Amino acid sequence: MNTIKKLMSNRRYLLTSIFSVSFLVLIIILATIIYLVEAKEKINLETNTTAWANSLAHTSVNYLLDNDNNAPRELNTLLKQIITPSFINYIHIYKIDNADVTQYFTGFNKSMYYPSIADKIDQIAPLSTLQYQTDYAELIVNIMHNEQTIGYLYIQSSTKHITDYRRLLYFTGVLLLLLGLALALLLAVVIQRRISKPIATIVGALQTIAQKKDYQARIQPLPIIELDILARNINILLARTEKYLQKKDENHQQALQQNNHLAEKLQARTDALKESNQELLLTLEKLHQFQGQLVETEKMASLGDMVAGIAHEVNTPIGLGITASTLLSDSHSEIKQAFENKTLKSSQLKKFLIQGEENIAIIYRNLERSAQLISSFKKVAVDQSTADNRVFNVKELIEEVMLTLQAKLNEEQVVITIDCPENLVIESKPGPINQILINLILNSIIHGFEHKPAGAINISVMHLSDQLHLCYQDDGEGMDENIKAKVFEPFTTTKRGSGGSGLGLHLVYNLVNQALNGHIEFESSAGQGTTFNVTFPVFLVP
């Protein structure tokens, strides 16, 4: 046995030595090549990024000096035309105004589906030199005019092509390494055959024995002492193997019988498992259908809340109009009776005219208020029932939603502040936006302000880089950590058994991601309120 171990150790030593040396040399060469190529690619990226940043900074000078309100839009259009490299993700142009305050001027996104990023005004100093992040590199250069800084240009370059190139180099390196190792194996085989021909004789004999399963055969004596000892030991092993196989055949028959028995049990359990899986699939399909029905119910519930609110709001002006018309009718009957009896006095007629004018004004104001409420409700109801694109004013849309929920807001003493440009007109889908706002407001009322006598909600809207950013913030109770992790999942609610379906925010998430093709994020802490940030692509209408 010691002789066999020694022989195997020598053969393994030969192969290991050749493999180790070849592997080490190839690794060093490939690592050096990859390092040099990757360094060159980074230098090229830095050079191109700096060159484009300086060129775009020079191009932006005239637009920053131009006081025309259309300058940002014109510069944005120019950036979309001239920026052709695929490695540029974002461009921000910042302008220094007369008060030496740096403000965002315009920008460029690689794609309208790229989410807008925050400005980098507070990072101008650190980014004055190229900084590498995980998937991109950042740089800020000065925009100069007459040796004075009039603004800054922020550029973000993707390093994805370097990563892809590195992967290609790694893949090529692995192939070359495998090819080198294959050649080393070929070399080892050639050497081994030349120095180990007697060993090949033993191997050939053993292969013949193994193929024919003739364990009665024996290896003839060899001229080399060590190999002759090995051959005799192999002959002894063959004799023992012959006896062992005879015993193994007997055990094999017993094992076959046991395996057949186990196979029958396994088949029976497999059939039972298939039936159970089929039942589970049917149950899951029913749950999906039920979930879809609940989502539609949640949509109609929000419309139902609006109907109740509008009914309450419309009831007041109509009631006042009826009262005023009744008083006008009574006064008219008195004047008519006095006229017919010829007892009409000038003071009585004057009083009738004054009261009549007041009652007509009351009737007109309240009917106009009712018409306004009904018109707003019709717009919101139509918007909720359709998902088609149309052109609309964002602030007017939000105010219409607020008007339909005014009764609920007054009842809960909730104050809503809207921060939105008056002339922001876009082309998008007002229906999903309506449903998002209504569900967020009702969610704040039901959950955020449950234990508060009054609440405040702030809705901020901003258009940036062909995207609309809607920030919804309340000062309610916030969310616990165990709810935050699954807030957008269906049937997640803290009002289980108290009227909460757990589909409100799930519906909001689906509307943002599927209907508006955007994304939603939120921040919340217990006792600190909740903030939802919704961003989705829109078309700005001039």
Side-chain angles (χ1 to χ4, degrees):
M1 293 300 292
N2 292 336
T3 305
I4 295 176
K5 288 185 178 180
K6 185 176 180 181
L7 178 62
M8 292 301 294
S9 176
N10 290 335
R11 185 176 182 182
R12 185 179 301 169
Y13 175 79
L14 177 63
L15 296 175
T16 304
S17 298
I18 297 176
F19 265 78
S20 298
V21 173
S22 302
F23 181 81
L24 182 60
V25 172
L26 290 172
I27 284 293
I28 293 174
I29 295 174
L30 293 175
T32 304
I33 294 175
I34 292 173
Y35 173 78
L36 293 176
V37 173
E38 184 176 359
K40 183 179 179 181
E41 287 296 321
K42 283 190 175 181
I43 292 174
N44 290 338
L45 177 65
E46 294 174 2
T47 303
N48 293 334
T49 299
T50 305
W52 271 97
N54 292 328
S55 176
L56 294 176
H58 179 72
T59 304
S60 304
V61 171
N62 293 333
Y63 293 91
L64 293 179
L65 295 175
D66 191 358
N67 294 324
D68 187 4
N69 293 332
N70 292 326
R73 185 180 300 172
E74 294 174 358
L75 180 55
N76 177 266
T77 302
L78 179 61
L79 291 176
K80 291 180 179 179
Q81 293 175 353
I82 66 176
I83 296 177
T84 57
S86 60
F87 64 85
I88 296 179
N89 291 341
Y90 296 96
I91 295 291
H92 283 186
I93 305 295
Y94 306 112
K95 179 180 179 181
I96 301 177
D97 59 16
N98 296 331
D100 289 335
V101 177
T102 303
Q103 297 181 349
Y104 179 85
F105 186 72
T106 189
F108 165 81
N109 282 20
K110 182 177 182 180
S111 172
M112 67 180 292
Y113 298 108
Y114 268 47
S116 58
I117 61 175
D119 61 62
K120 305 290 182 174
I121 296 176
D122 57 341
Q123 302 181 31
I124 291 177
L127 294 180
S128 60
T129 58
L130 193 68
Q131 301 292 329
Y132 280 95
Q133 305 298 335
T134 303
D135 296 320
Y136 56 86
E138 298 175 293
L139 176 66
I140 292 180
V141 298
N142 295 349
I143 302 177
M144 307 294 294
H145 178 70
N146 293 336
E147 298 183 357
Q148 290 185 353
T149 302
I150 63 173
Y152 302 93
L153 182 141
Y154 165 80
I155 183 170
Q156 183 188 110
S157 298
S158 173
T159 58
K160 184 177 182 297
H161 66 284
I162 297 180
T163 302
D164 295 340
Y165 196 44
R166 186 191 304 120
R167 290 176 180 171
L168 178 60
L169 289 175
Y170 286 158
F171 178 75
T172 305
V174 170
L175 291 180
L176 293 176
L177 180 62
L178 293 176
L179 179 60
L181 292 179
L183 294 176
L185 177 61
L186 180 60
L187 178 62
V189 170
V190 172
I191 295 175
Q192 189 269 338
R193 285 181 178 179
R194 291 190 177 185
I195 66 174
S196 304
K197 187 175 181 180
I199 298 177
T201 303
I202 298 176
V203 172
L206 291 176
Q207 288 178 346
T208 303
I209 294 172
Q211 291 175 357
K212 296 181 179 181
K213 297 183 180 180
D214 183 12
Y215 297 105
Q216 297 178 353
R218 299 294 181 261
I219 300 175
Q220 300 299 321
L222 298 175
I224 300 176
I225 297 177
E226 290 80 3
L227 297 180
D228 186 64
I229 295 173
L230 175 61
R232 283 184 287 175
N233 287 327
I234 292 175
N235 291 334
I236 295 173
L237 179 61
L238 290 173
R240 293 180 179 177
T241 303
E242 183 181 1
K243 295 180 180 180
Y244 172 76
L245 290 177
Q246 292 177 353
K247 185 177 181 180
K248 185 179 179 180
D249 288 338
E250 298 175 358
N251 295 334
H252 179 67
Q253 295 299 326
Q254 297 178 358
L256 284 177
Q257 295 178 357
Q258 294 178 354
N259 288 339
N260 292 334
H261 181 65
L262 291 175
E264 294 175 357
K265 289 185 177 180
L266 180 61
Q267 184 63 36
R269 294 182 181 180
T270 301
D271 294 339
L273 184 59
K274 288 181 179 179
E275 295 178 359
S276 299
N277 288 339
Q278 187 65 27
E279 293 178 358
L280 289 175
L281 289 175
L282 293 175
T283 303
L284 183 60
E285 184 179 355
K286 292 181 180 178
L287 287 177
H288 286 165
Q289 295 175 356
F290 180 65
Q291 179 181 350
Q293 294 173 359
L294 286 179
V295 170
E296 293 300 324
T297 302
E298 186 70 16
K299 291 181 181 179
M300 297 306 298
S302 63
L303 186 61
D305 290 337
M306 288 193 299
V307 172
I310 286 295
H312 177 77
E313 287 292 316
V314 171
N315 184 58
T316 300
I318 290 179
L320 293 174
I322 293 174
T323 301
S325 63
T326 302
L327 293 175
L328 182 61
S329 177
D330 293 342
S331 299
H332 178 270
S333 298
E334 293 179 0
I335 290 297
K336 181 179 180 182
Q337 184 177 2
F339 177 77
E340 292 175 351
N341 296 334
K342 299 181 180 181
T343 59
L344 179 64
K345 300 178 181 180
S346 61
S347 60
Q348 189 177 6
L349 179 61
K350 182 178 181 180
K351 180 180 178 182
F352 170 75
L353 293 175
I354 293 173
Q355 292 178 349
E357 184 178 1
E358 293 177 352
N359 288 329
I360 291 173
I362 292 173
I363 294 172
Y364 176 76
R365 287 198 305 270
N366 284 279
L367 288 178
E368 185 179 21
R369 172 65 175 169
S370 300
Q372 182 181 5
L373 289 170
I374 294 173
S375 177
S376 298
F377 173 71
K378 287 171 63 179
K379 290 182 179 179
V380 173
V382 170
D383 284 342
Q384 278 200 321
S385 62
T386 181
D388 296 331
N389 278 13
R390 69 176 178 87
V391 178
F392 59 92
N393 185 290
V394 178
K395 188 169 184 179
E396 292 179 359
L397 178 71
I398 298 175
E399 289 177 346
E400 290 172 0
V401 174
M402 299 303 104
L403 189 61
T404 58
L405 295 176
Q406 192 62 47
K408 189 72 173 179
L409 297 174
N410 292 338
E411 179 183 352
E412 302 294 336
Q413 299 183 11
V414 177
V415 178
I416 296 184
T417 304
I418 302 174
D419 181 12
C420 178
E422 297 286 346
N423 58 348
L424 181 56
V425 179
I426 64 172
E427 180 181 350
S428 185
K429 300 177 180 178
I433 299 175
N434 268 332
Q435 295 183 23
I436 290 170
L437 290 172
I438 291 173
N439 278 277
L440 290 178
I441 294 173
L442 293 178
N443 186 73
S444 296
I445 293 174
I446 295 173
H447 301 282
F449 305 141
E450 180 183 10
H451 302 294
K452 297 187 65 175
I457 296 174
N458 182 68
I459 300 176
S460 176
V461 180
M462 178 177 62
H463 179 266
L464 183 63
S465 299
D466 296 331
Q467 291 188 333
L468 193 72
H469 176 74
L470 189 150
C471 179
Y472 176 93
Q473 184 176 15
D474 66 35
D475 62 347
E477 299 179 357
M479 303 182 192
D480 295 332
E481 293 297 328
N482 57 343
I483 295 295
K484 288 170 61 177
K486 52 183 179 179
V487 66
F488 292 125
E489 296 180 4
F491 312 115
T492 299
T493 180
T494 58
K495 298 291 183 181
R496 185 76 64 194
S498 302
S501 66
L503 292 173
L505 291 182
H506 176 62
L507 176 61
V508 170
Y509 181 83
N510 287 339
L511 289 171
V512 172
N513 284 270
Q514 298 178 10
L516 299 180
N517 198 21
H519 65 278
I520 182 171
E521 299 175 348
F522 79 98
E523 298 178 0
S524 180
S525 300
Q528 302 297 322
T530 303
T531 300
F532 291 91
N533 289 295
V534 180
T535 304
F536 53 92
V538 297
F539 295 99
L540 183 64
V541 179

